[in-house]
């Protein structure tokens, strides 16, 4: 495959978080009811999503992302239950991943996709410890946010939506 043109957005050049390593499907971030309704209406079908079990590994993954919400997570994702996640095509590609990156508009993407790899812990806005071209190329957090077309208020807003979707503890917003 030839290198992607530098004029493409950093995510269109990278696409790493939109392609799963085979066997990791059970650790995909869950879709909220709001994600389901919005994207179903936009695309007119349900082939883009699939269900997965609330395995201990999946719940542990969420526990790392929401360390202050163990009770909320246990209630939202009980053992034996299931959740919705993005479907993947051959090679682990997300259903929505095209040659130019995500085919959904930023506004329509699942909430976690909208802010990845940015996250919030308490009142701190940080990036997750993941392999990500945007992180690698950015000189600091403001540059990283700009390259992802994000800003701190938007990150806080979307993060609050994610927390609210699962009934998790609402962090104090400053
Ligand atoms: S968020 Fe990071 S890992 Fe995901 S596609 Fe963009 S640059 Fe790549
Ligand atoms: S919905 Fe878009 S941003 Fe999210 S994983 Fe799929 S292709 Fe990537």
């Amino acid at each position: 495959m030839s290198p992607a043109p530098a004029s493409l957005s950093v995510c269109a050049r990278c696409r790493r978080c939109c392609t799963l390593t085979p066997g990791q499907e059970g650790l995909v971030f869950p879709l909220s009811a709001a994600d389901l309704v919005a994207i179903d209406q936009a695309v007119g079908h349900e082939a883009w999503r699939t269900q997965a079990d609330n395995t201990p590994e999946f719940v542990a993954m969420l526990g790392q992302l929401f360390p202050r919400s163990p009770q909320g997570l246990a209630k939202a994702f009980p053992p034996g239950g299931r959740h919705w996640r993005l479907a993947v095509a051959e090679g682990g590609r997300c259903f929505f991943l095209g040659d130019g990156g995500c085919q959904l508009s930023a506004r329509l993407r699942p909430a976690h996709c909208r802010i990845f790899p940015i996250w919030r812990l308490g009142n701190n806005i940080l990036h997750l410890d993941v392999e990500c071209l945007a992180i690698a190329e950015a000189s600091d957090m403001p540059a990283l946010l700009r390259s992802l077309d994000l800003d701190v208020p938007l990150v806080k807003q979307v993060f609050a939506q994610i927390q609210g979707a699962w009934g998790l503890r609402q962090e104090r917003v400053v």
Side-chain angles (χ1 to χ4, degrees):
M1 190 170 68
S2 57
S7 58
L8 289 176
S9 72
V10 64
C11 292
R13 287 185 283 122
C14 170
R15 310 176 206 167
R16 177 181 288 273
C17 66
C18 305
T19 305
L20 284 180
T21 303
Q24 297 295 301
E25 294 85 352
L27 299 180
V28 174
F29 199 87
L31 295 162
S32 71
D35 293 329
L36 300 179
V37 169
I39 299 176
D40 279 357
Q41 285 182 352
V43 303
H45 61 76
E46 299 179 2
W48 63 277
R49 55 184 168 103
T50 189
Q51 283 199 303
D53 295 332
N54 298 340
T55 63
E57 294 78 15
F58 166 77
V59 176
M61 178 272 291
L62 291 180
Q64 291 186 328
L65 292 172
F66 300 101
R68 301 180 178 186
S69 306
Q71 293 177 336
L73 288 174
K75 187 175 178 183
F77 302 99
R82 309 198 83 197
H83 60 272
W84 289 98
R85 65 165 174 81
L86 288 159
V88 295
E90 192 175 346
R93 291 166 62 100
C94 172
F95 182 93
F96 289 120
L97 182 59
D99 290 341
C102 182
Q103 299 177 87
L104 296 175
S105 67
R107 182 192 57 79
L108 194 56
R109 287 172 199 161
H112 59 281
C113 293
R114 289 187 69 188
I115 59 172
F116 188 88
I118 309 300
W119 202 244
R120 183 174 183 180
L121 191 59
N123 285 323
N124 296 318
I125 300 297
L126 44 79
H127 68 71
L128 299 172
D129 185 17
V130 293
E131 288 191 49
C132 166
L133 184 60
I135 295 173
E137 290 186 349
S139 54
D140 54 22
M141 178 58 80
L144 176 57
L145 290 171
R146 279 196 302 276
S147 76
L148 296 167
D149 205 18
L150 294 170
D151 56 37
V152 170
L154 179 58
V155 170
K156 288 180 176 179
Q157 176 191 332
V158 175
F159 188 80
Q161 289 173 3
I162 294 172
Q163 286 184 305
W166 310 118
L168 305 179
R169 169 183 168 155
Q170 293 290 330
E171 304 280 354
R172 184 170 65 89
V173 175
V174 294

